[in-house]
Amino acid sequence: EVQLVESGGGLVQAGGSLRLTCEASGFSFDHYAIGWFRQAPGKEREGVSCFSSMYETTYYNDSVKGRFLLSSDNAKNTVYLQMNSLKPEDTAVYYCAADCRQRINDIPYWGQGTQVTVSS
């Protein structure tokens, strides 16, 4: 059974940092690309970052390039999202997902989400 469990969200002031963690089980990163999405109130869910071990690529949404960094520990089946220079517009529920290379409606596995709130 595939499971994705996020942690690390919270409340931070603008300009601050947070690190999100996604612990995956039931599959290998060699099989599925794994990454992060977010959904702000009243907005559609959007991709933030997606890592493919198979293709050795990492995608970043333009709005987070240079501020967010996705990393993985394959031995622990865990991915991290280091978020720096946070802005109020980064406020959202952040979801870990696999296979993040699919269209959003076709992504088979989602975590429960973790709230990130950035105050101005």
Side-chain angles (χ1 to χ4, degrees), residues 3-9 19-24 34-38 45 78-79 81 93-98 109-116:
Q3 285 192 324
L4 302 169
V5 179
E6 305 101 330
S7 61
R19 188 177 80 157
L20 305 183
T21 299
C22 174
E23 297 179 60
I34 186 163
W36 296 90
F37 289 74
R38 67 185 180 186
R45 194 170 296 190
T78 300
V79 291
L81 186 68
V93 178
Y94 283 70
Y95 297 91
C96 183
Y109 304 111
W110 294 93
Q112 80 285 357
T114 185
Q115 177 71 46
V116 171

Side-chain angles (χ1 to χ4, degrees), residues 51-103:
F51 167 66
S52 170
S53 176
M54 180 182 299
Y55 296 101
E56 298 182 345
T57 59
T58 305
Y59 156 84
Y60 292 99
N61 188 304
D62 284 345
S63 66
V64 307
K65 282 181 180 176
R67 300 189 298 122
F68 290 12
L69 177 68
L70 186 154
S71 61
S72 68
D73 184 335
N74 288 8
K76 295 182 178 180
N77 242 31
T78 300
V79 291
Y80 307 94
L81 186 68
Q82 178 65 43
M83 306 186 295
N84 300 322
S85 302
L86 282 161
K87 305 175 181 180
E89 51 263 44
D90 294 318
T91 295
V93 178
Y94 283 70
Y95 297 91
C96 183
D99 175 6
C100 53
R101 296 182 70 244
Q102 301 294 328
R103 292 186 303 176

